[in-house]
């Protein structure tokens, strides 16, 4: 008996596994900074495809102009879904203060997929903008101190509140 050449064939394996899929409810979120540490529940995570079992996903906060650990809590934030749950509001702690500054932003994404989950295709990432709510500082001048005879007068200049942005003023003198 003789052995012939092996027949050529191809095999295709289709991925028909269903796993939890996670998306943000929006591409962007915005929250006022305020003057103290506070928790906001404005970020919402949706779970789809396989929601039959409990699963977890980590919400990762990546610094942009807002600094994770300085302007808001450190990440990741673990989000737990029970069987059948499809939506969760996620508490995010924002560290407010009273410094005038530009609005700050960061990027939200998913990682640490428990139960073999994956990021979805609708809003797999999102941005969070922390809007400054502190007033622009005003400049105050005290009355001049010193004598005109020595040619020098001193003024105390103060700001009404701190600023992380440059503050300037123009002035003129007259006799």
């Amino acid at each position: 008996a003789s052995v012939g050449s092996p027949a050529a064939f191809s095999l295709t394996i289709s991925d028909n596994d269903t796993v939890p899929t996670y998306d943000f409810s929006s591409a962007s979120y915005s929250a006022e900074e305020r003057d103290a540490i506070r928790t906001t529940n404005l970020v919402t995570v949706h779970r789809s495809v396989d929601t039959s079992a409990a699963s977890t996903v980590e919400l990762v906060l990546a610094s942009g102009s807002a600094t994770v650990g300085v302007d808001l809590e450190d990440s990741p934030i673990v989000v737990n879904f029970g069987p059948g749950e499809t939506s969760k509001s996620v508490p995010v702690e924002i560290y407010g203060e009273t410094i005038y500054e530009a609005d700050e932003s960061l990027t939200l994404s998913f990682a640490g997929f428990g139960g073999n989950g994956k990021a979805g295709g609708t809003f797999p990432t999102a941005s969070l903008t922390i809007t400054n709510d502190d007033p622009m500082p005003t400049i105050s001048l005290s009355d001049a101190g010193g004598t005109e005879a020595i040619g020098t007068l001193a003024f105390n200049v103060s700001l009404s509140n701190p600023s992380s942005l440059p503050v300037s003023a123009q002035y003129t003198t007259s006799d």
Side-chain angles (χ1 to χ4, degrees), residues 17-41:
D17 294 340
T18 58
V19 296
T21 302
Y22 302 94
D23 277 294
F24 292 99
S25 63
S26 177
S28 62
Y29 301 94
S30 179
E32 276 191 355
E33 177 184 62
R34 305 216 181 133
D35 295 341
I37 294 175
R38 71 182 183 91
T39 300
T40 177
N41 287 318

Side-chain angles (χ1 to χ4, degrees), residues 141-145 153-157 173:
L141 295 173
S142 67
D143 288 335
L153 295 175
F155 297 89
N156 287 323
V157 179
T173 61

Side-chain angles (χ1 to χ4, degrees), residues 2 6 8 10 36 42 84 110 145 150 168 171:
S2 72
S10 68
L42 68 99
F110 299 113
I150 60 172
S168 63
Y171 68 94

Side-chain angles (χ1 to χ4, degrees), residues 12-125:
T12 302
I13 300 174
S14 298
D15 182 4
N16 63 356
D17 294 340
T18 58
V19 296
T21 302
Y22 302 94
D23 277 294
F24 292 99
S25 63
S26 177
S28 62
Y29 301 94
S30 179
E32 276 191 355
E33 177 184 62
R34 305 216 181 133
D35 295 341
I37 294 175
R38 71 182 183 91
T39 300
T40 177
N41 287 318
L42 68 99
V43 174
T44 301
V45 175
H46 293 301
R47 181 175 72 149
S48 60
V49 184
D50 183 2
T51 62
S52 62
S55 66
T56 61
V57 66
E58 294 175 352
L59 177 71
V60 178
L61 312 172
S63 295
S65 56
T67 304
V68 174
V70 174
D71 296 305
L72 67 161
E73 72 182 301
D74 212 348
S75 72
I77 300 168
V78 177
V79 183
N80 296 302
F81 284 87
E85 288 185 313
T86 59
S87 185
K88 285 280 190 173
S89 292
V90 181
V92 177
E93 195 169 78
I94 297 174
Y95 302 156
E97 30 73 357
T98 58
I99 299 172
Y100 178 74
E101 59 192 351
D103 293 347
E104 300 169 308
S105 62
L106 63 140
T107 301
L108 311 172
S109 62
F110 299 113
F113 301 99
N116 299 319
K118 65 180 183 178
T122 306
F123 298 118
T125 62

Side-chain angles (χ1 to χ4, degrees), residues 112-167:
F113 301 99
N116 299 319
K118 65 180 183 178
T122 306
F123 298 118
T125 62
S127 64
L128 171 59
T129 300
I130 302 170
T131 58
N132 178 65
D133 61 346
D134 299 305
M136 180 183 294
T138 57
I139 298 173
S140 299
L141 295 173
S142 67
D143 288 335
T147 61
E148 189 175 354
I150 60 172
T152 303
L153 295 175
F155 297 89
N156 287 323
V157 179
S158 61
L159 292 177
S160 58
N161 55 291
S163 175
S164 69
L165 300 174
V167 177

